[in-house]
Amino acid sequence: MMMPALPSCNQTWSHSTCSIEKMSDAVSDNKITAIEADIVMGFEIVDDVDDTGDKKNKMNHLVPIMAHPPDRESDLSFERFTNHACKADGLKKHLKLDFKEIEAVKPCLQILINRKFMSNGKIIWLNADIIPGPGKSQKDIDVPANEFLIQCLTVSAKNRQLNFALSIGFKVDVCSVFGHSQQHVAEMTRLITAHKLHESFGIVLAVNARLLSKNMTVFDTFLESFSNAQLLCWVGSGEPPISFVTINKIRAHFLQHGSIDRVGFDVQTTHFLMGAVYDIIILAIGIYRQIKASVTFKINSIN
């Protein structure tokens, strides 16, 4: 089967689409081209009507739900999410499924295997932060890389009606003083090669925009090595907006290297002055955390 081509890296996103209301709005909004939602194991909240006619919330058994940690309740289960995402001839929008824990992956993929809807020219990105990046270590990883990738390969082989792509990234501390290292990119490259992902999927490497701006050159070789790969530069929902000057710096770098058409941006921007203030605050937090970690390590070494 021919590998489906990745859509344009420039999409109009609905973020954290983790409620029935947000999902309904995203599906009906013609400006939205892609829907992103976080997935955890939790309890679906459903409307139930008692004998008096009053509505009450009722929690069902543990199922995959659309929610961002630490939330464990939602009125939108993954199964209901897929129902909203479909119309008679297939998917309505591109979907990005952001798995926050490995326990949610298998039941969600099984639902996708069992579904009969067609891709309708849309892509489903299977997304997870699978290796540690700046400011994080292996103990921070909630979705182990090998287990996640094997399950993704399995669902792709079993459901040929849907177009899957991988959106894989790094678990990071956005306040980290340092950007990505060559070792980070080398480990991601090793995983892709070991599982032959580039032969089965289009690959989107999700990278935090602030951290990317600190060391962009390490990703040039990655894009050269995988012709079916894109970069998606993101700013997190709990992260301050980034200066448009920083975004222009990233654009200029990849434009110079001839790969700007494979670099997308999913960011909230602000003007230079406000961006500089945010960056100073984030840098101060990063320095504080680094000093604290160093002191703690020394104390533990002495003890």
Side-chain angles (χ1 to χ4, degrees):
M1 180 179 177
M2 184 177 296
M3 184 192 311
L6 287 172
S8 167
C9 56
N10 295 306
Q11 300 290 328
T12 303
W13 290 90
S14 169
H15 287 291
S16 194
T17 314
C18 296
S19 69
I20 291 177
E21 181 180 6
K22 289 194 69 173
M23 185 63 179
S24 298
D25 289 345
V27 168
S28 61
D29 188 343
N30 291 331
K31 296 179 182 178
I32 298 296
T33 60
I35 297 173
E36 180 269 345
D38 307 308
I39 309 175
V40 299
M41 295 300 291
F43 296 96
E44 180 185 10
I45 306 301
V46 296
D47 285 333
D48 194 15
V49 182
D50 63 16
D51 294 336
T52 64
D54 294 331
K55 284 189 174 183
K56 293 184 176 180
N57 288 331
K58 177 183 177 182
M59 290 189 294
N60 290 335
H61 57 283
L62 204 64
V63 294
I65 61 169
M66 318 313 285
H68 191 283
D71 293 342
R72 292 290 171 176
E73 296 179 359
S74 174
D75 66 353
L76 187 60
S77 66
F78 178 72
E79 189 161 14
R80 187 176 292 189
F81 175 89
T82 61
N83 291 338
H84 279 268
C86 298
K87 57 183 178 181
D89 58 345
L91 289 178
K92 302 175 184 178
K93 314 272 185 177
H94 301 300
L95 302 179
K96 182 178 180 181
L97 309 179
D98 190 354
F99 294 99
K100 295 301 184 184
E101 56 191 14
I102 192 62
E103 292 80 6
V105 176
K106 187 174 182 178
C108 288
L109 296 185
Q110 189 60 53
I111 289 172
L112 292 176
I113 290 172
N114 294 338
R115 293 303 301 258
K116 302 302 183 183
F117 57 81
M118 302 295 289
S119 63
N120 196 30
K122 307 301 182 185
I123 283 281
I124 298 178
W125 288 284
L126 304 174
N127 180 83
D129 297 331
I130 58 174
I131 63 173
K136 295 293 183 178
S137 64
Q138 190 61 41
K139 66 180 177 61
D140 298 307
I141 299 299
D142 299 308
V143 183
N146 289 314
E147 187 176 352
F148 175 71
L149 296 175
I150 290 171
Q151 292 191 37
C152 290
L153 286 165
T154 300
V155 72
S156 178
K158 289 185 176 180
N159 192 328
R160 298 293 190 176
Q161 299 177 101
L162 296 177
N163 292 334
F164 292 102
L166 279 179
S167 172
I168 47 182
F170 307 88
K171 191 73 171 284
V172 300
D173 177 0
V174 298
C175 296
S176 175
V177 176
F178 304 104
H180 286 278
S181 67
Q182 188 64 54
Q183 288 72 25
H184 293 144
V185 180
E187 175 59 14
M188 188 67 79
T189 299
R190 185 194 67 78
L191 282 169
I192 292 171
T193 304
H195 290 277
K196 299 181 179 179
L197 302 178
H198 53 299
E199 299 177 7
S200 306
F201 294 100
I203 300 169
V204 175
L205 188 59
V207 186
N208 178 264
R210 276 192 169 87
L211 297 176
L212 174 62
S213 69
K214 296 178 180 181
N215 190 8
M216 293 174 281
T217 58
V218 295
F219 291 98
D220 292 332
T221 303
F222 178 86
L223 290 174
E224 292 171 2
S225 300
F226 302 107
S227 59
N228 61 332
Q230 297 175 352
L231 289 186
L232 178 63
C233 309
W234 57 269
V235 168
S237 56
E239 184 183 348
I242 191 170
S243 168
F244 70 88
V245 175
T246 303
I247 295 301
N248 287 343
K249 173 185 171 183
I250 295 172
R251 289 184 189 275
H253 173 85
F254 291 106
L255 179 63
Q256 181 182 0
H257 287 78
S259 53
I260 189 60
D261 60 323
R262 296 164 60 198
V263 180
F265 294 87
D266 181 14
V267 299
Q268 300 81 46
T269 58
T270 186
H271 56 80
F272 171 74
L273 183 58
M274 201 67 239
V277 171
Y278 288 141
D279 287 345
I280 290 172
I281 294 172
I282 288 175
L283 178 62
I285 294 172
I287 292 172
Y288 167 77
R289 287 178 179 173
Q290 190 171 16
I291 292 173
K292 182 180 178 181
S294 178
V295 170
T296 301
F297 176 77
K298 290 180 179 179
I299 292 174
N300 291 338
S301 298
I302 293 173
N303 294 337

